[in-house]
PDB file of all heavy atoms in Angstrom:
ATOM      1  N   LEU A   1      -9.385   7.326  -0.704  1.00  0.00           N
ATOM      2  CA  LEU A   1      -8.012   7.183  -0.960  1.00  0.00           C
ATOM      3  C   LEU A   1      -7.090   7.190   0.237  1.00  0.00           C
ATOM      4  O   LEU A   1      -6.314   6.169   0.348  1.00  0.00           O
ATOM      5  CB  LEU A   1      -7.519   8.450  -1.782  1.00  0.00           C
ATOM      6  CG  LEU A   1      -8.311   8.579  -3.264  1.00  0.00           C
ATOM      7  CD1 LEU A   1      -7.783   9.797  -3.976  1.00  0.00           C
ATOM      8  CD2 LEU A   1      -8.064   7.337  -4.088  1.00  0.00           C
ATOM      9  N   ILE A   2      -7.409   7.918   1.204  1.00  0.00           N
ATOM     10  CA  ILE A   2      -6.424   7.896   2.491  1.00  0.00           C
ATOM     11  C   ILE A   2      -6.755   6.715   3.111  1.00  0.00           C
ATOM     12  O   ILE A   2      -5.809   5.929   3.620  1.00  0.00           O
ATOM     13  CB  ILE A   2      -6.662   9.144   3.203  1.00  0.00           C
ATOM     14  CG1 ILE A   2      -5.977  10.385   2.444  1.00  0.00           C
ATOM     15  CG2 ILE A   2      -5.933   9.020   4.609  1.00  0.00           C
ATOM     16  CD1 ILE A   2      -6.108  11.674   3.157  1.00  0.00           C
ATOM     17  N   ALA A   3      -8.061   6.180   3.309  1.00  0.00           N
ATOM     18  CA  ALA A   3      -8.455   5.088   3.976  1.00  0.00           C
ATOM     19  C   ALA A   3      -7.729   3.873   3.369  1.00  0.00           C
ATOM     20  O   ALA A   3      -7.143   2.875   4.077  1.00  0.00           O
ATOM     21  CB  ALA A   3      -9.864   4.801   4.043  1.00  0.00           C
ATOM     22  N   GLY A   4      -7.698   3.812   2.085  1.00  0.00           N
ATOM     23  CA  GLY A   4      -7.022   2.706   1.422  1.00  0.00           C
ATOM     24  C   GLY A   4      -5.451   2.664   1.643  1.00  0.00           C
ATOM     25  O   GLY A   4      -4.918   1.674   1.965  1.00  0.00           O
ATOM     26  N   MET A   5      -4.851   3.803   1.554  1.00  0.00           N
ATOM     27  CA  MET A   5      -3.494   3.949   1.891  1.00  0.00           C
ATOM     28  C   MET A   5      -3.146   3.638   3.244  1.00  0.00           C
ATOM     29  O   MET A   5      -2.002   3.020   3.610  1.00  0.00           O
ATOM     30  CB  MET A   5      -2.862   5.348   1.424  1.00  0.00           C
ATOM     31  CG  MET A   5      -2.614   5.467  -0.167  1.00  0.00           C
ATOM     32  SD  MET A   5      -1.662   4.186  -0.875  1.00  0.00           S
ATOM     33  CE  MET A   5       0.004   4.629  -0.149  1.00  0.00           C
ATOM     34  N   ASN A   6      -3.887   4.036   4.141  1.00  0.00           N
ATOM     35  CA  ASN A   6      -3.736   3.678   5.620  1.00  0.00           C
ATOM     36  C   ASN A   6      -3.688   2.209   5.708  1.00  0.00           C
ATOM     37  O   ASN A   6      -2.876   1.634   6.548  1.00  0.00           O
ATOM     38  CB  ASN A   6      -4.857   4.315   6.541  1.00  0.00           C
ATOM     39  CG  ASN A   6      -4.667   5.765   6.661  1.00  0.00           C
ATOM     40  OD1 ASN A   6      -3.571   6.241   6.509  1.00  0.00           O
ATOM     41  ND2 ASN A   6      -5.607   6.479   7.201  1.00  0.00           N
ATOM     42  N   GLU A   7      -4.663   1.409   5.162  1.00  0.00           N
ATOM     43  CA  GLU A   7      -4.660  -0.008   5.232  1.00  0.00           C
ATOM     44  C   GLU A   7      -3.355  -0.587   4.544  1.00  0.00           C
ATOM     45  O   GLU A   7      -2.792  -1.594   5.060  1.00  0.00           O
ATOM     46  CB  GLU A   7      -5.957  -0.520   4.513  1.00  0.00           C
ATOM     47  CG  GLU A   7      -5.935  -2.032   4.499  1.00  0.00           C
ATOM     48  CD  GLU A   7      -5.965  -2.759   5.851  1.00  0.00           C
ATOM     49  OE1 GLU A   7      -6.169  -2.072   6.894  1.00  0.00           O
ATOM     50  OE2 GLU A   7      -5.815  -3.953   5.890  1.00  0.00           O
ATOM     51  N   VAL A   8      -2.931   0.007   3.466  1.00  0.00           N
ATOM     52  CA  VAL A   8      -1.678  -0.502   2.847  1.00  0.00           C
ATOM     53  C   VAL A   8      -0.495  -0.312   3.863  1.00  0.00           C
ATOM     54  O   VAL A   8       0.289  -1.215   3.988  1.00  0.00           O
ATOM     55  CB  VAL A   8      -1.408   0.422   1.555  1.00  0.00           C
ATOM     56  CG1 VAL A   8       0.074   0.075   1.037  1.00  0.00           C
ATOM     57  CG2 VAL A   8      -2.463  -0.018   0.507  1.00  0.00           C
ATOM     58  N   GLY A   9      -0.495   0.934   4.540  1.00  0.00           N
ATOM     59  CA  GLY A   9       0.487   1.143   5.467  1.00  0.00           C
ATOM     60  C   GLY A   9       0.499   0.100   6.677  1.00  0.00           C
ATOM     61  O   GLY A   9       1.433  -0.436   7.090  1.00  0.00           O
ATOM     62  N   ARG A  10      -0.660  -0.226   7.098  1.00  0.00           N
ATOM     63  CA  ARG A  10      -0.961  -1.208   8.130  1.00  0.00           C
ATOM     64  C   ARG A  10      -0.354  -2.647   7.651  1.00  0.00           C
ATOM     65  O   ARG A  10       0.368  -3.233   8.443  1.00  0.00           O
ATOM     66  CB  ARG A  10      -2.426  -1.381   8.554  1.00  0.00           C
ATOM     67  CG  ARG A  10      -2.521  -2.325   9.846  1.00  0.00           C
ATOM     68  CD  ARG A  10      -4.082  -2.692   9.831  1.00  0.00           C
ATOM     69  NE  ARG A  10      -4.411  -3.661   8.845  1.00  0.00           N
ATOM     70  CZ  ARG A  10      -3.992  -4.958   8.738  1.00  0.00           C
ATOM     71  NH1 ARG A  10      -3.185  -5.397   9.781  1.00  0.00           N
ATOM     72  NH2 ARG A  10      -4.462  -5.673   7.777  1.00  0.00           N
ATOM     73  N   ARG A  11      -0.731  -3.053   6.487  1.00  0.00           N
ATOM     74  CA  ARG A  11      -0.201  -4.335   5.934  1.00  0.00           C
ATOM     75  C   ARG A  11       1.255  -4.386   5.722  1.00  0.00           C
ATOM     76  O   ARG A  11       1.896  -5.356   5.945  1.00  0.00           O
ATOM     77  CB  ARG A  11      -1.034  -4.658   4.631  1.00  0.00           C
ATOM     78  CG  ARG A  11      -2.458  -4.762   4.858  1.00  0.00           C
ATOM     79  CD  ARG A  11      -3.144  -5.279   3.641  1.00  0.00           C
ATOM     80  NE  ARG A  11      -4.610  -5.273   3.694  1.00  0.00           N
ATOM     81  CZ  ARG A  11      -5.444  -5.697   2.825  1.00  0.00           C
ATOM     82  NH1 ARG A  11      -5.023  -6.242   1.655  1.00  0.00           N
ATOM     83  NH2 ARG A  11      -6.783  -5.708   2.998  1.00  0.00           N
ATOM     84  N   PHE A  12       1.821  -3.185   5.369  1.00  0.00           N
ATOM     85  CA  PHE A  12       3.270  -3.038   5.113  1.00  0.00           C
ATOM     86  C   PHE A  12       3.888  -3.264   6.503  1.00  0.00           C
ATOM     87  O   PHE A  12       4.896  -4.037   6.638  1.00  0.00           O
ATOM     88  CB  PHE A  12       3.665  -1.768   4.541  1.00  0.00           C
ATOM     89  CG  PHE A  12       5.088  -1.550   4.266  1.00  0.00           C
ATOM     90  CD1 PHE A  12       5.695  -2.338   3.313  1.00  0.00           C
ATOM     91  CD2 PHE A  12       5.702  -0.540   4.836  1.00  0.00           C
ATOM     92  CE1 PHE A  12       7.069  -2.141   3.046  1.00  0.00           C
ATOM     93  CE2 PHE A  12       7.113  -0.311   4.519  1.00  0.00           C
ATOM     94  CZ  PHE A  12       7.719  -1.154   3.645  1.00  0.00           C
ATOM     95  N   LYS A  13       3.413  -2.576   7.444  1.00  0.00           N
ATOM     96  CA  LYS A  13       4.062  -2.707   8.867  1.00  0.00           C
ATOM     97  C   LYS A  13       4.027  -4.143   9.470  1.00  0.00           C
ATOM     98  O   LYS A  13       4.841  -4.623  10.189  1.00  0.00           O
ATOM     99  CB  LYS A  13       3.377  -1.730   9.853  1.00  0.00           C
ATOM    100  CG  LYS A  13       4.021  -0.355   9.760  1.00  0.00           C
ATOM    101  CD  LYS A  13       3.802   0.496  10.904  1.00  0.00           C
ATOM    102  CE  LYS A  13       2.590   1.128  10.968  1.00  0.00           C
ATOM    103  NZ  LYS A  13       2.409   2.119  12.044  1.00  0.00           N
ATOM    104  N   ALA A  14       2.844  -4.819   8.975  1.00  0.00           N
ATOM    105  CA  ALA A  14       2.554  -6.199   9.461  1.00  0.00           C
ATOM    106  C   ALA A  14       3.294  -7.298   8.733  1.00  0.00           C
ATOM    107  O   ALA A  14       3.029  -8.504   8.797  1.00  0.00           O
ATOM    108  CB  ALA A  14       1.136  -6.403   9.587  1.00  0.00           C
ATOM    109  N   ASN A  15       4.069  -6.834   7.698  1.00  0.00           N
ATOM    110  CA  ASN A  15       4.666  -7.803   6.691  1.00  0.00           C
ATOM    111  C   ASN A  15       3.796  -8.471   5.823  1.00  0.00           C
ATOM    112  O   ASN A  15       4.060  -9.668   5.387  1.00  0.00           O
ATOM    113  CB  ASN A  15       5.679  -8.640   7.395  1.00  0.00           C
ATOM    114  CG  ASN A  15       6.880  -7.872   7.944  1.00  0.00           C
ATOM    115  OD1 ASN A  15       7.507  -7.052   7.340  1.00  0.00           O
ATOM    116  ND2 ASN A  15       7.270  -8.349   9.142  1.00  0.00           N
ATOM    117  N   GLU A  16       2.502  -8.021   5.645  1.00  0.00           N
ATOM    118  CA  GLU A  16       1.530  -8.650   4.826  1.00  0.00           C
ATOM    119  C   GLU A  16       1.661  -8.130   3.437  1.00  0.00           C
ATOM    120  O   GLU A  16       1.372  -8.711   2.463  1.00  0.00           O
ATOM    121  CB  GLU A  16       0.052  -8.370   5.294  1.00  0.00           C
ATOM    122  CG  GLU A  16      -0.191  -8.941   6.742  1.00  0.00           C
ATOM    123  CD  GLU A  16      -1.392  -8.485   7.370  1.00  0.00           C
ATOM    124  OE1 GLU A  16      -2.314  -7.968   6.490  1.00  0.00           O
ATOM    125  OE2 GLU A  16      -1.749  -8.593   8.495  1.00  0.00           O
ATOM    126  N   PHE A  17       2.199  -6.918   3.318  1.00  0.00           N
ATOM    127  CA  PHE A  17       2.476  -6.275   2.074  1.00  0.00           C
ATOM    128  C   PHE A  17       4.030  -6.004   1.967  1.00  0.00           C
ATOM    129  O   PHE A  17       4.655  -5.757   3.018  1.00  0.00           O
ATOM    130  CB  PHE A  17       1.851  -4.987   1.853  1.00  0.00           C
ATOM    131  CG  PHE A  17       0.483  -5.001   1.296  1.00  0.00           C
ATOM    132  CD1 PHE A  17      -0.202  -6.278   1.019  1.00  0.00           C
ATOM    133  CD2 PHE A  17      -0.112  -3.904   0.607  1.00  0.00           C
ATOM    134  CE1 PHE A  17      -1.468  -6.375   0.315  1.00  0.00           C
ATOM    135  CE2 PHE A  17      -1.346  -4.017  -0.133  1.00  0.00           C
ATOM    136  CZ  PHE A  17      -2.058  -5.259  -0.034  1.00  0.00           C
ATOM    137  N   TYR A  18       4.589  -6.044   0.821  1.00  0.00           N
ATOM    138  CA  TYR A  18       6.057  -5.667   0.526  1.00  0.00           C
ATOM    139  C   TYR A  18       6.227  -4.529  -0.317  1.00  0.00           C
ATOM    140  O   TYR A  18       5.145  -3.923  -0.818  1.00  0.00           O
ATOM    141  CB  TYR A  18       6.746  -6.834   0.176  1.00  0.00           C
ATOM    142  CG  TYR A  18       6.726  -7.999   1.140  1.00  0.00           C
ATOM    143  CD1 TYR A  18       5.800  -9.026   1.004  1.00  0.00           C
ATOM    144  CD2 TYR A  18       7.594  -8.045   2.420  1.00  0.00           C
ATOM    145  CE1 TYR A  18       5.701  -9.940   2.117  1.00  0.00           C
ATOM    146  CE2 TYR A  18       7.379  -8.981   3.295  1.00  0.00           C
ATOM    147  CZ  TYR A  18       6.619 -10.079   3.185  1.00  0.00           C
ATOM    148  OH  TYR A  18       6.448 -10.978   4.015  1.00  0.00           O
ATOM    149  N   VAL A  19       7.403  -4.050  -0.570  1.00  0.00           N
ATOM    150  CA  VAL A  19       7.532  -2.798  -1.323  1.00  0.00           C
ATOM    151  C   VAL A  19       6.813  -2.873  -2.714  1.00  0.00           C
ATOM    152  O   VAL A  19       6.184  -1.857  -3.006  1.00  0.00           O
ATOM    153  CB  VAL A  19       9.133  -2.497  -1.513  1.00  0.00           C
ATOM    154  CG1 VAL A  19       9.244  -1.376  -2.503  1.00  0.00           C
ATOM    155  CG2 VAL A  19       9.779  -2.217  -0.151  1.00  0.00           C
ATOM    156  N   PRO A  20       6.839  -3.925  -3.493  1.00  0.00           N
ATOM    157  CA  PRO A  20       6.103  -3.842  -4.741  1.00  0.00           C
ATOM    158  C   PRO A  20       4.680  -3.630  -4.705  1.00  0.00           C
ATOM    159  O   PRO A  20       4.135  -2.715  -5.344  1.00  0.00           O
ATOM    160  CB  PRO A  20       6.302  -5.291  -5.424  1.00  0.00           C
ATOM    161  CG  PRO A  20       7.561  -5.727  -4.693  1.00  0.00           C
ATOM    162  CD  PRO A  20       7.560  -5.169  -3.388  1.00  0.00           C
ATOM    163  N   GLU A  21       3.947  -4.224  -3.673  1.00  0.00           N
ATOM    164  CA  GLU A  21       2.600  -3.972  -3.495  1.00  0.00           C
ATOM    165  C   GLU A  21       2.317  -2.465  -3.054  1.00  0.00           C
ATOM    166  O   GLU A  21       1.278  -1.860  -3.385  1.00  0.00           O
ATOM    167  CB  GLU A  21       1.900  -4.830  -2.313  1.00  0.00           C
ATOM    168  CG  GLU A  21       1.948  -6.396  -2.727  1.00  0.00           C
ATOM    169  CD  GLU A  21       3.102  -7.004  -2.318  1.00  0.00           C
ATOM    170  OE1 GLU A  21       4.135  -6.500  -2.125  1.00  0.00           O
ATOM    171  OE2 GLU A  21       2.960  -8.421  -2.293  1.00  0.00           O
ATOM    172  N   VAL A  22       3.123  -2.073  -2.184  1.00  0.00           N
ATOM    173  CA  VAL A  22       2.964  -0.597  -1.764  1.00  0.00           C
ATOM    174  C   VAL A  22       3.136   0.350  -2.916  1.00  0.00           C
ATOM    175  O   VAL A  22       2.456   1.312  -3.175  1.00  0.00           O
ATOM    176  CB  VAL A  22       4.030  -0.193  -0.647  1.00  0.00           C
ATOM    177  CG1 VAL A  22       3.916   1.209  -0.244  1.00  0.00           C
ATOM    178  CG2 VAL A  22       3.832  -0.965   0.604  1.00  0.00           C
ATOM    179  N   LEU A  23       4.243   0.047  -3.748  1.00  0.00           N
ATOM    180  CA  LEU A  23       4.372   0.955  -4.955  1.00  0.00           C
ATOM    181  C   LEU A  23       3.238   0.960  -5.918  1.00  0.00           C
ATOM    182  O   LEU A  23       2.776   1.937  -6.545  1.00  0.00           O
ATOM    183  CB  LEU A  23       5.659   0.566  -5.629  1.00  0.00           C
ATOM    184  CG  LEU A  23       6.932   0.757  -4.933  1.00  0.00           C
ATOM    185  CD1 LEU A  23       8.145   0.262  -5.700  1.00  0.00           C
ATOM    186  CD2 LEU A  23       7.128   2.154  -4.754  1.00  0.00           C
ATOM    187  N   ILE A  24       2.604  -0.283  -6.088  1.00  0.00           N
ATOM    188  CA  ILE A  24       1.409  -0.497  -6.970  1.00  0.00           C
ATOM    189  C   ILE A  24       0.276   0.303  -6.405  1.00  0.00           C
ATOM    190  O   ILE A  24      -0.597   1.014  -7.129  1.00  0.00           O
ATOM    191  CB  ILE A  24       1.196  -1.896  -7.191  1.00  0.00           C
ATOM    192  CG1 ILE A  24       2.277  -2.536  -8.144  1.00  0.00           C
ATOM    193  CG2 ILE A  24      -0.189  -2.162  -7.971  1.00  0.00           C
ATOM    194  CD1 ILE A  24       2.242  -4.036  -8.058  1.00  0.00           C
ATOM    195  N   ALA A  25       0.030   0.224  -5.116  1.00  0.00           N
ATOM    196  CA  ALA A  25      -1.141   0.887  -4.439  1.00  0.00           C
ATOM    197  C   ALA A  25      -0.809   2.454  -4.527  1.00  0.00           C
ATOM    198  O   ALA A  25      -1.798   3.240  -4.888  1.00  0.00           O
ATOM    199  CB  ALA A  25      -1.231   0.509  -3.102  1.00  0.00           C
ATOM    200  N   ALA A  26       0.443   2.843  -4.382  1.00  0.00           N
ATOM    201  CA  ALA A  26       0.685   4.228  -4.443  1.00  0.00           C
ATOM    202  C   ALA A  26       0.384   4.861  -5.904  1.00  0.00           C
ATOM    203  O   ALA A  26      -0.021   5.936  -5.985  1.00  0.00           O
ATOM    204  CB  ALA A  26       2.116   4.546  -3.990  1.00  0.00           C
ATOM    205  N   ARG A  27       0.736   4.039  -6.764  1.00  0.00           N
ATOM    206  CA  ARG A  27       0.441   4.398  -8.240  1.00  0.00           C
ATOM    207  C   ARG A  27      -1.033   4.633  -8.436  1.00  0.00           C
ATOM    208  O   ARG A  27      -1.533   5.495  -9.052  1.00  0.00           O
ATOM    209  CB  ARG A  27       0.990   3.342  -9.179  1.00  0.00           C
ATOM    210  CG  ARG A  27       0.656   3.674 -10.648  1.00  0.00           C
ATOM    211  CD  ARG A  27       1.487   2.585 -11.529  1.00  0.00           C
ATOM    212  NE  ARG A  27       1.084   2.794 -12.906  1.00  0.00           N
ATOM    213  CZ  ARG A  27       0.034   1.915 -13.392  1.00  0.00           C
ATOM    214  NH1 ARG A  27      -0.674   1.090 -12.755  1.00  0.00           N
ATOM    215  NH2 ARG A  27      -0.293   2.041 -14.726  1.00  0.00           N
ATOM    216  N   ALA A  28      -1.825   3.690  -7.826  1.00  0.00           N
ATOM    217  CA  ALA A  28      -3.320   3.811  -7.935  1.00  0.00           C
ATOM    218  C   ALA A  28      -3.795   4.942  -7.150  1.00  0.00           C
ATOM    219  O   ALA A  28      -4.714   5.829  -7.662  1.00  0.00           O
ATOM    220  CB  ALA A  28      -3.988   2.550  -7.253  1.00  0.00           C
ATOM    221  N   MET A  29      -3.110   5.377  -6.086  1.00  0.00           N
ATOM    222  CA  MET A  29      -3.427   6.658  -5.315  1.00  0.00           C
ATOM    223  C   MET A  29      -3.278   7.807  -6.204  1.00  0.00           C
ATOM    224  O   MET A  29      -4.005   8.786  -6.343  1.00  0.00           O
ATOM    225  CB  MET A  29      -2.675   6.623  -3.993  1.00  0.00           C
ATOM    226  CG  MET A  29      -2.689   8.018  -3.305  1.00  0.00           C
ATOM    227  SD  MET A  29      -4.061   8.127  -2.217  1.00  0.00           S
ATOM    228  CE  MET A  29      -3.858   9.794  -1.511  1.00  0.00           C
ATOM    229  N   HIS A  30      -2.128   7.775  -6.900  1.00  0.00           N
ATOM    230  CA  HIS A  30      -1.644   8.851  -7.721  1.00  0.00           C
ATOM    231  C   HIS A  30      -2.790   9.123  -8.905  1.00  0.00           C
ATOM    232  O   HIS A  30      -3.118  10.213  -9.233  1.00  0.00           O
ATOM    233  CB  HIS A  30      -0.295   8.573  -8.356  1.00  0.00           C
ATOM    234  CG  HIS A  30       0.208   9.713  -9.269  1.00  0.00           C
ATOM    235  ND1 HIS A  30       0.484  10.982  -8.929  1.00  0.00           N
ATOM    236  CD2 HIS A  30       0.272   9.568 -10.688  1.00  0.00           C
ATOM    237  CE1 HIS A  30       0.829  11.669 -10.043  1.00  0.00           C
ATOM    238  NE2 HIS A  30       0.740  10.867 -11.068  1.00  0.00           N
ATOM    239  N   TYR A  31      -3.252   8.029  -9.443  1.00  0.00           N
ATOM    240  CA  TYR A  31      -4.174   8.061 -10.482  1.00  0.00           C
ATOM    241  C   TYR A  31      -5.466   8.697 -10.036  1.00  0.00           C
ATOM    242  O   TYR A  31      -6.120   9.468 -10.763  1.00  0.00           O
ATOM    243  CB  TYR A  31      -4.529   6.611 -11.049  1.00  0.00           C
ATOM    244  CG  TYR A  31      -3.671   6.229 -12.226  1.00  0.00           C
ATOM    245  CD1 TYR A  31      -2.357   6.303 -12.142  1.00  0.00           C
ATOM    246  CD2 TYR A  31      -4.140   5.592 -13.450  1.00  0.00           C
ATOM    247  CE1 TYR A  31      -1.484   5.764 -13.194  1.00  0.00           C
ATOM    248  CE2 TYR A  31      -3.448   5.294 -14.389  1.00  0.00           C
ATOM    249  CZ  TYR A  31      -2.028   5.312 -14.337  1.00  0.00           C
ATOM    250  OH  TYR A  31      -1.339   4.874 -15.371  1.00  0.00           O
TER     251      TYR A  31
END
């Protein structure tokens, strides 16, 4: 889980992911 969110954070900082993708990934983390 944390490894996945760390990669989401990296992609967000690199403008590869945007807010919607982060929110969807965070929802998956919550599940």
Side-chain angles (χ1 to χ4, degrees):
L1 299 180
I2 290 179
M5 281 305 290
N6 283 344
E7 175 61 16
V8 169
R10 187 199 66 76
R11 294 186 190 185
F12 182 63
K13 280 203 274 191
N15 292 320
E16 296 170 17
F17 268 19
Y18 298 95
V19 171
E21 290 93 340
V22 175
L23 292 174
I24 291 167
R27 177 173 173 266
M29 170 88 180
H30 178 70
Y31 269 51

